[in-house]
Amino acid sequence: MVKIVIENLGKKELLVNDLSQSVLRQAHHHFVDWMHACGGKGRCTTCKMIIVAGNENLSAVTEAEMKYRRQQTLGENERLACQTLVSGDIVVRIPDENKFPHMKYSE
């Protein structure tokens, strides 16, 4: 079992077994609201996450993510939750610009 910890959402822990689903789908499966304006297709950056720990447990950067890195809208320590699969434990943060107003975030 793999653990996804959302650090600034009260250190919420998502325990996942199905490693074929993106971080975005894993979050939604655990009833965590996570912004995704394009429907999780890698066409925007609203599902961006900041990688705090476990970068080695993430799938390779996709072409969609490379496009946003070239445009400098996705940093080296950031990934799109809709494009990223996990193979081990990770710790992430939701950037300020992608937070929902109805949710309580911690710092």
Side-chain angles (χ1 to χ4, degrees):
M1 188 167 307
V2 169
K3 187 184 329 179
I4 299 170
V5 177
I6 307 170
E7 188 176 64
N8 61 343
L9 198 55
K11 297 190 185 208
K12 177 136 183 100
E13 295 183 1
L14 314 179
L15 299 177
V16 300
N17 289 318
D18 182 359
L19 304 182
S20 70
Q21 299 291 315
S22 69
V23 172
L24 178 66
R25 289 193 186 272
Q26 300 287 3
H28 289 163
H29 178 73
H30 285 83
F31 306 104
V32 173
D33 280 345
W34 196 301
M35 192 176 294
H36 61 294
C38 74
K41 295 181 173 57
R43 293 188 224 158
C44 69
T45 59
T46 59
C47 71
K48 182 186 331 186
M49 60 184 175
I50 300 166
I51 309 304
V52 176
N55 192 49
E56 69 278 4
N57 296 325
L58 301 177
S59 57
V61 175
T62 65
E63 185 54 42
E65 291 172 301
M66 288 304 297
K67 175 180 108 178
Y68 293 114
R69 285 191 177 173
R70 286 190 295 271
Q71 294 173 356
Q72 298 181 347
T73 55
L74 192 66
E76 288 297 317
N77 67 329
E78 297 175 332
R79 296 290 303 270
L80 298 180
C82 72
Q83 298 291 296
T84 307
L85 303 177
V86 296
S87 60
D89 296 350
I90 62 168
V91 179
V92 300
R93 294 181 62 80
I94 298 171
D96 289 341
E97 68 268 21
N98 297 89
K99 291 179 178 176
F100 279 122
H102 69 277
M103 294 183 65
K104 281 192 163 184
Y105 297 89
S106 55
E107 294 310 314

